[in-house]
Amino acid sequence: MEQTAHLWLFFVLVFGVIVLPGLDMAFVLASSLTGGRKAGLSAVAGIIAGGVCHVAAGATGVAVLLKVVPSAFNALLWMGALYVAWMGISIFRSGAAFSAAPLGDRLTPAATFRRGVLTCLLNPKAYVFMLAVFPQFVRPEYGPLWIQALVLGAIIAVTQGAVYGAIALAAGRARGWLESNPAANVAAARVVGGLMALAAVVTAVEGWRSV
């Protein structure tokens, strides 16, 4: 297979994984709806930074350790699922999750960024991808492995930025309408909170089956 086709195939696989609803997407959506466009983009930046860490782990062999020691993977699996489920339940129980709040009650962009990194690092779907897919696209005949890791990492980051960025911008716009419609606000809080909790459960089950 030519290297160009090799990279296009990797992009298709990455895009397919990213557009599937999961923990990262749920966090970006919730951040945008609760904090606006700036919070949503901060969440996207955190997810991308977490993705960079995943690539570094895959390139240095840390992912292999997680495969050799299933208990470590299982710990990440449940930590990530419980973390996002907790956020989802908190939003679900809030009667006005998307209403304008005092600045002191909002997360700063830096705090949202850190949560985005943590959400990505605790996302078992990413580890499954790094264990099962990433190693197949790092080949000695295509040059230095570190350069290949950089290129593949760039593809992941750009795809995350495009997909999650679009979600953040769309949700940020919807937030203004929700603030002026209390009934829709409450309903949206229930839906988004429920989706986050559901994403956590589904991710945990699928990740557990992949171990």
Side-chain angles (χ1 to χ4, degrees):
M1 180 186 296
E2 295 183 359
Q3 188 171 9
T4 301
H6 173 83
L7 294 176
W8 272 108
L9 178 59
F10 182 78
F11 164 73
V12 170
L13 292 173
V14 168
F15 182 79
V17 170
I18 291 175
V19 296
L20 287 175
L23 304 186
D24 293 346
M25 184 179 292
F27 179 72
V28 170
L29 178 61
S31 297
S32 299
L33 289 173
T34 56
R37 181 177 60 182
K38 188 173 184 179
L41 294 178
S42 297
V44 174
I47 297 297
I48 292 174
V52 172
C53 294
H54 281 301
V55 172
T60 57
V62 175
V64 176
L65 176 62
L66 293 175
K67 189 173 184 179
V68 173
V69 186
S71 59
F73 180 87
N74 293 340
L76 287 169
L77 178 76
W78 288 107
M79 286 172 61
L82 289 173
Y83 176 65
V84 173
W86 170 75
M87 289 193 294
I89 292 172
S90 298
I91 292 175
F92 185 90
R93 295 179 61 185
S94 174
F98 310 136
S99 296
L103 292 179
D105 296 337
R106 296 181 183 179
L107 288 176
T108 64
T112 302
F113 173 85
R114 290 193 295 271
R115 284 196 176 189
V117 174
L118 181 60
T119 299
C120 186
L121 291 179
L122 294 178
N123 188 348
K125 184 172 69 173
Y127 288 97
V128 171
F129 181 85
M130 296 307 297
L131 288 169
V133 178
F134 190 84
Q136 300 180 34
F137 288 86
V138 180
R139 301 182 179 180
E141 63 266 28
Y142 290 149
L145 299 184
W146 69 272
I147 293 181
Q148 293 185 60
L150 284 177
V151 173
L152 297 179
I155 292 174
I156 294 173
V158 170
T159 307
Q160 287 176 321
V163 174
Y164 295 146
I167 291 172
L169 294 176
R173 290 184 178 181
R175 182 173 182 269
W177 179 79
L178 290 172
E179 288 180 351
S180 61
N181 293 270
N185 189 344
V186 174
R190 300 291 188 266
V191 171
V192 173
L195 286 176
M196 290 185 72
L198 179 62
V201 172
V202 172
T203 301
V205 171
E206 291 184 349
W208 186 270
R209 289 176 177 175
S210 302
V211 174

